[in-house]
Amino acid sequence: MRILAFIALFISSITVASAQGYVGVEYTDTENRITGAQSHTPAVIVGVRDGNYQYSGKASYTQAEHGNGAITTAYEARVRRNFQVSGVKPYIQGRLGEQVESTKNFSYYAVDAGVVVPVASKVDIDFSYRYRNAFDSGIDYPTNRYGVEGAYKLTPKDKVGLRNTRSYGDSETNAWRVAYTHSF
């Protein structure tokens, strides 16, 4: 049911004539500050930009070691609103997701806020904050994440980025993410 709602949202957003599609891939390496455990998370993002709005879907999985250990899968539908204020670009974003683990599945929500600061014609720095929690109060999932990302525009349609984040709450982690995005 949730997947069908996401597909309907995505299809309706790409039918807008002014929408510009994009696809992205990410790879995140995460360290748990309490246990020292490492994990990796590849992800795929498909979305559209329509003016100041972005509509996207993200699918990812997390595993401690490639090919070894339990896999946690997550699916997200995301809506982002971009603003332009005196040369900087603040934004807000809402997410609805489903996390699928070996022993349980649960739905969650997240709210992001940030500001993208252009530092050169091809370089931006993104300062961000995200709050995430499960809808089910019986699941301990509240997390605050702070991040900074440097992004370089390879071409007008291609961008690479390197993000460092620090999470507190349910997950006490440090993470590095490398990302590539291609716009159509």
Side-chain angles (χ1 to χ4, degrees):
M1 179 75 157
R2 292 180 189 122
I3 298 294
L4 293 176
F6 167 72
I7 292 170
L9 172 69
F10 183 72
I11 290 173
S12 66
S13 67
I14 63 173
T15 60
V16 178
S18 63
Q20 176 191 29
Y22 64 92
V23 63
V25 292
E26 300 176 347
Y27 177 83
T28 305
D29 185 59
T30 304
E31 174 193 18
N32 184 308
R33 291 191 305 273
I34 296 170
T35 66
Q38 296 286 123
S39 63
H40 70 276
T41 306
V44 174
I45 299 165
V46 176
V48 293
R49 291 180 186 92
D50 184 21
N52 290 321
Y53 288 91
Q54 289 178 224
Y55 308 94
S56 63
K58 178 178 179 179
S60 64
Y61 77 86
T62 301
Q63 189 173 32
E65 180 182 321
H66 184 66
N68 186 20
I71 294 176
T72 298
T73 306
Y75 306 96
E76 285 185 354
R78 308 182 305 180
V79 177
R80 176 172 161 161
R81 170 71 161 101
N82 299 304
F83 302 90
Q84 180 80 26
V85 179
S86 299
V88 299
K89 303 169 188 170
Y91 62 87
I92 56 172
Q93 178 172 256
R95 307 178 192 206
L96 297 176
E98 182 76 15
Q99 184 150 319
V100 181
E101 300 177 359
S102 59
T103 58
K104 66 182 174 193
N105 299 353
F106 61 92
S107 299
Y108 64 90
Y109 64 93
V111 177
D112 301 72
V115 62
V116 176
V117 179
V119 293
S121 64
K122 293 187 173 203
V123 179
D124 293 334
I125 297 179
D126 180 350
F127 299 95
S128 64
Y129 167 78
R130 182 200 70 194
Y131 176 77
R132 178 188 68 193
N133 205 345
F135 284 107
D136 182 347
S137 61
I139 296 175
D140 187 28
Y141 202 56
T143 308
N144 294 289
R145 183 182 75 187
Y146 303 89
V148 62
E149 177 178 19
Y152 180 75
K153 298 170 192 143
L154 298 167
T155 71
K157 294 189 177 272
D158 298 284
K159 176 176 78 169
V160 295
L162 180 64
R163 177 179 293 261
N164 180 255
T165 60
R166 215 168 154 90
S167 297
Y168 301 89
D170 173 61
S171 65
E172 296 283 334
T173 60
N174 299 331
W176 286 94
R177 182 186 80 194
V178 62
Y180 167 75
T181 304
H182 175 75
S183 300
F184 300 100

